[in-house]
Amino acid sequence: MARNVTLGELIDDVRAEAGHSLQANLGSAMREVLVKVLQRQQRRLWEDYDWTFLRVDRDVAVQAGQRYYDIPSDLTLERIEKVQFKYGDRWIPMGHGIGREQLDQHDSDKGIRAFPVERWAEYENDQVEFWPIPSQNGSLAQASDIVRFTGIRKLRPLVAESDRADLDDTLLVLYSAAEILAREKSADAGLKLQLAEKHYARLKARNSKSDTFCLSGDAPERMPMGPKIIAVQTQ
């Protein structure tokens, strides 16, 4: 029971669980099928549960006059859990959604800029919009005026023999073997599936005990005292 097991090892383990030959030259045609099954099972389990060991923080520095931003490459919009803005020495939760109420205050369509950044929303092509449009630059190097995304990162590629799985090897092997055996109408398919589901429940129970992350985000914090917010309109 471990993570970061190579694809080559996973393939051999699935073959063993399914009662197939472990000699590569006798099962080369089956390898592609096993790879697809392992990839699909890992993807399904990744989508099904918020694994705490895959939760990451990724920072983006705001830029004066820039309204839209690419999200960090190893995150997806659907798995973003929390967004915060570092203002001075404090992390301030950013609200989700930008509507008429916000645009009536600082109209991004007219290029009005202000500070600090307070809200975010999904945009097309896997981008996000920040509101108001920032009136000054942030710095990743100085960890100043940056937006932090917290979420479940994407799975690493699982294609080459040396690629490593992100999730538990026993979990992937048992579910994959159950699927293969079900295709073959084997009587062992049900047993493997039961073992997989029991192991899955055990892993989730252990994971939840160490999960102290609040999915609803931090409690609202008061904005620290600082310079007055000034909005400007560019031509």
Side-chain angles (χ1 to χ4, degrees):
M1 186 175 67
R3 300 195 299 271
N4 295 312
V5 174
T6 66
L7 177 60
E9 293 175 281
L10 291 173
I11 290 174
D12 285 345
D13 289 345
V14 173
R15 281 175 165 169
E17 287 289 341
H20 293 178
S21 171
L22 297 182
Q23 299 183 41
N25 62 333
L26 296 179
S28 58
M30 189 63 179
R31 181 188 180 280
E32 291 186 10
V33 174
L34 294 178
V35 171
K36 292 296 184 182
V37 170
L38 283 163
Q39 290 172 338
R40 183 170 62 255
Q41 289 293 347
Q42 181 168 241
R43 178 74 182 183
R44 177 182 68 82
L45 293 164
W46 175 84
E47 292 177 340
D48 186 63
Y49 187 71
D50 295 327
W51 301 99
T52 57
F53 52 81
L54 295 180
R55 183 171 289 126
V56 296
D57 293 328
R58 297 292 183 259
D59 298 336
V60 173
V62 300
Q63 300 297 315
Q66 184 173 335
R67 183 176 181 180
Y68 304 108
Y69 297 78
D70 295 328
I71 64 171
S73 61
D74 61 349
L75 289 177
T76 64
L77 285 170
E78 294 78 11
R79 301 309 296 272
I80 292 175
E81 298 173 334
K82 181 170 62 174
V83 184
Q84 303 171 89
F85 183 70
K86 190 172 186 182
Y87 186 66
D89 295 328
R90 303 182 67 185
W91 288 101
I92 309 300
M94 291 179 62
H96 177 259
I98 301 170
R100 176 61 56 191
E101 180 181 352
Q102 286 75 42
L103 296 180
D104 284 345
Q105 183 179 0
H106 300 306
D107 194 342
S108 298
D109 293 334
K110 294 182 178 179
I112 294 179
R113 308 178 186 184
F115 215 76
V117 175
E118 298 179 31
R119 301 186 68 85
W120 73 283
E122 297 88 348
Y123 190 63
E124 59 189 40
N125 299 322
D126 288 328
Q127 287 189 312
V128 293
E129 176 183 358
F130 293 156
W131 176 92
I133 298 174
S135 58
Q136 62 190 59
N137 293 328
S139 171
L140 290 176
Q142 300 177 10
S144 172
D145 298 330
I146 57 178
V147 173
R148 171 163 292 177
F149 294 92
T150 300
I152 304 299
R153 70 165 173 81
K154 295 179 181 178
L155 294 170
R156 294 174 296 183
L158 193 62
V159 179
E161 291 278 324
S162 59
D163 288 345
R164 297 182 180 274
D166 284 304
L167 300 186
D168 180 82
D169 62 335
T170 302
L171 188 65
L172 297 178
V173 168
L174 287 174
Y175 271 120
S176 297
E179 180 177 338
I180 295 298
L181 290 170
R183 292 184 182 184
E184 298 172 351
K185 302 186 184 304
S186 170
D188 290 338
L191 174 60
K192 297 297 181 184
L193 182 58
Q194 289 180 13
L195 292 173
E197 291 176 341
K198 288 181 179 179
H199 189 59
Y200 189 21
R202 185 162 51 246
L203 289 177
K204 288 194 291 185
R206 292 174 180 172
N207 188 79
S208 63
K209 290 179 182 178
S210 61
D211 186 1
T212 59
F213 185 85
C214 179
L215 294 181
S216 61
D218 294 334
E221 300 179 3
R222 294 184 62 186
M223 184 70 72
M225 296 298 293
K228 293 182 178 180
I229 298 175
I230 300 176
V232 297
Q233 180 172 352
T234 59
Q235 298 298 326

